[in-house]
């Protein structure tokens, strides 16, 4: 197990709390990550100081009170926002997600006992060392995700923890402890009470983990609870895809029509770009691709690239490659398509209307009436340039446009 070495700024904040008669600890995921030899993305600090006492401990710093009802005070220390949260216990959970109220306490054991998993229920400061009441360090060494206390209780408090257990196991490449795993499946219907935004956030992290396919298979009833029945093949293909969430969602929903897949992803309230790409990728999964042996290969790839752009085409090819590998089919043709598409990009080939040596204004100046047809004419010019039937040169394009 690795040593814990807190950054100087975190030690300074803990020392400041001590100077004012309080205890402060790094807590949660940052402690877990350091014990695993990873660099935490951020550091949470917990303290026995009540919010007003925390604020009083930093009279020379700006204080942000946006998380006050949960006991969180954000201290702007040396230009960096550091969240400091009072030890607390949670009241009754009324919606399987949020406690009706929180109570501030002075005992860290009460605070740690309310947390989700043992690997997230550890605290540390340089003076006292590691506080590990639930054998979180041992569970890290065993590579297991296990609930703090009774698993059914933890999941009924917050149904999102069901996906968090799966996500941690996927990303950290851990196993879910047997009783916790049984509870995950038993309580899966609690996910109906969780906002789709939070489900999308957790599930996206899950499918990008190295252990994604194993976890999705183990907890298949949870997957079906969220998305209906998913073919096992799709889950296996997902692991063969690059770690791009749009490609992996497209693999998962590839048994659907493009419109149904788009509806599924839209229901998760994703951003427009994710919605666009998943729909496009699913639609492209069964489309014909240029054949390397064909005498039209280069022109067909150029048209494909003009239609999609390199980034989208690369994702389309990646999804197709994953299905080929899963089926034991060779990917040489797809490799050739990607290679030739890359060559065209490097050569700055004319692959878009913007790359043409004329614009709509040029055509209008040459006497072609501006109308909805202008776009069609420019698209036809691009097709002709790709086909090699006209040079990408202004006068030649104008003359060709007049004929069109």
């Amino acid at each position: 197990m690795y040593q814990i070495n807190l950054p100087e700024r975190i030690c300074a904040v803990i020392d400041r709390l001590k100077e004012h008669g309080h205890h402060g600890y790094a807590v949660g995921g940052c402690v877990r990550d350091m014990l695993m030899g990873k660099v935490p993305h951020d550091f949470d600090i917990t303290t026995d100081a009540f919010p007003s006492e925390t604020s009083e401990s930093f009279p020379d710093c700006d204080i942000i009170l946006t998380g006050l009802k949960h006991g969180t005070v954000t201290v702007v220390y040396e230009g960096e926002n550091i969240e400091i949260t009072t030890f607390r216990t949670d009241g009754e959970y009324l919606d399987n997600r949020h406690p009706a109220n929180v109570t501030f306490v002075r005992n860290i054991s009460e605070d740690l006992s309310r947390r989700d998993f043992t690997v997230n229920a550890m605290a540390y400061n340089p003076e006292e060392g590691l506080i590990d009441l639930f054998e979180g360090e041992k569970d890290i060494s065993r590579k297991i995700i296990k609930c703090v206390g009774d698993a059914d209780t933890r999941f009924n408090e917050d149904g999102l923890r069901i996906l968090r257990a799966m996500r941690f196991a996927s990303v950290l490449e851990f196993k879910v402890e047997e009783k916790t795993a049984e509870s995950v499946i038993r309580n899966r219907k609690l996910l109906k009470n969780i906002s789709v935004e939070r489900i999308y956030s957790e599930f996206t992290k899950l499918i990008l983990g190295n252990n994604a396919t194993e976890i999705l298979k183990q907890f298949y009833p949870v997957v079906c609870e969220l998305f209906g029945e998913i073919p096992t093949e799709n889950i296996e293909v997902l692991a063969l895809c690059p770690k791009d969430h749009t490609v992996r969602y497209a693999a998962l929903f590839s048994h659907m029509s493009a419109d149904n897949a788009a509806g599924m992803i839209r229901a998760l309230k994703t951003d427009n770009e994710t919605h666009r790409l998943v729909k496009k990728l699913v639609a492209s999964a069964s489309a014909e691709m240029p054949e390397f042996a064909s005498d039209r290969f280069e022109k067909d790839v150029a048209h494909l690239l003009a239609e999609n752009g390199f980034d989208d085409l690369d994702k389309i090819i990646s999804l197709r490659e994953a299905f080929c590998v899963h089926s034991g089919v060779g990917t040489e043709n797809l490799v050739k398509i990607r290679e030739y598409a890359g060559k065209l990009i490097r050569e700055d080939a004319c692959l878009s209307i913007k790359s043409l040596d004329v614009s709509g204004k040029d055509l209008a100046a040459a006497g072609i009436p501006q109308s909805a047809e202008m776009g069609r004419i420019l698209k036809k010019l691009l097709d002709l340039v790709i086909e090699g039937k006209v040079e990408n040169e202004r006068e030649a394009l104008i003359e060709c446009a007049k004929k069109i």
Side-chain angles (χ1 to χ4, degrees), residues 75-81:
V75 175
V76 184
Y77 189 84
E78 295 183 352
E80 185 167 350
N81 290 2

Side-chain angles (χ1 to χ4, degrees), residues 245-266:
H245 72 290
T246 59
V247 180
R248 291 198 167 193
Y249 272 113
L252 200 65
F253 300 148
S254 59
H255 64 294
M256 304 178 183
S257 69
D259 285 340
N260 286 344
M264 187 69 74
I265 204 74
R266 179 63 83 190

Side-chain angles (χ1 to χ4, degrees), residues 267-314:
L268 294 173
K269 297 186 178 180
T270 64
D271 58 276
N272 290 334
E273 181 65 1
T274 295
H275 174 263
R276 179 191 73 82
L277 274 168
V278 171
K279 181 177 182 179
K280 183 175 189 176
L281 290 169
V282 171
S284 71
S286 58
E288 290 187 11
M289 300 291 275
E291 287 293 334
F292 183 62
S294 167
D295 57 3
R296 282 196 52 83
F297 176 78
E298 294 182 355
K299 292 174 182 177
D300 286 346
V301 172
H303 283 296
L304 195 61
L305 192 53
E307 181 182 348
N308 295 285
F310 185 81
D311 288 345
D312 282 13
L313 180 57
D314 185 56

Side-chain angles (χ1 to χ4, degrees), residues 140-316:
I140 288 175
S141 66
R142 295 165 58 197
K143 294 190 173 184
I144 65 168
I145 300 297
K146 178 182 178 182
C147 281
V148 173
D150 179 68
D152 287 341
T153 300
R154 294 286 84 83
F155 292 136
N156 275 275
E157 288 171 345
D158 182 355
L160 187 63
R161 288 171 174 166
I162 291 170
L163 285 184
R164 282 173 60 81
M166 295 169 61
R167 187 253 289 186
F168 283 125
S170 174
V171 173
L172 299 178
E173 299 182 73
F174 282 17
K175 301 285 187 182
V176 181
E177 179 264 341
E178 184 178 356
K179 290 184 179 179
T180 300
E182 291 171 354
S183 184
V184 163
I185 294 175
R186 184 165 56 246
N187 290 290
R188 63 188 182 278
K189 292 190 181 301
L190 294 174
L191 290 170
K192 292 184 181 298
N193 301 327
I194 306 302
S195 73
V196 292
E197 293 92 342
R198 295 309 300 272
I199 287 174
Y200 173 66
S201 176
E202 288 294 333
F203 196 80
T204 300
K205 295 172 186 174
L206 188 167
I207 63 174
L208 294 177
N210 288 337
N211 240 16
T213 289
E214 181 178 333
I215 295 303
L216 292 176
K217 281 185 171 183
Q218 180 182 1
F219 298 104
Y220 185 71
V222 178
V223 179
C224 293
E225 186 69 34
L226 294 173
F227 305 118
E229 189 170 338
I230 300 288
T232 303
E233 176 190 21
N234 294 10
I235 294 174
E236 292 169 348
V237 168
L238 181 147
L240 301 171
C241 293
K243 288 188 177 182
D244 178 292
H245 72 290
T246 59
V247 180
R248 291 198 167 193
Y249 272 113
L252 200 65
F253 300 148
S254 59
H255 64 294
M256 304 178 183
S257 69
D259 285 340
N260 286 344
M264 187 69 74
I265 204 74
R266 179 63 83 190
L268 294 173
K269 297 186 178 180
T270 64
D271 58 276
N272 290 334
E273 181 65 1
T274 295
H275 174 263
R276 179 191 73 82
L277 274 168
V278 171
K279 181 177 182 179
K280 183 175 189 176
L281 290 169
V282 171
S284 71
S286 58
E288 290 187 11
M289 300 291 275
E291 287 293 334
F292 183 62
S294 167
D295 57 3
R296 282 196 52 83
F297 176 78
E298 294 182 355
K299 292 174 182 177
D300 286 346
V301 172
H303 283 296
L304 195 61
L305 192 53
E307 181 182 348
N308 295 285
F310 185 81
D311 288 345
D312 282 13
L313 180 57
D314 185 56
K315 295 178 195 294
I316 290 170

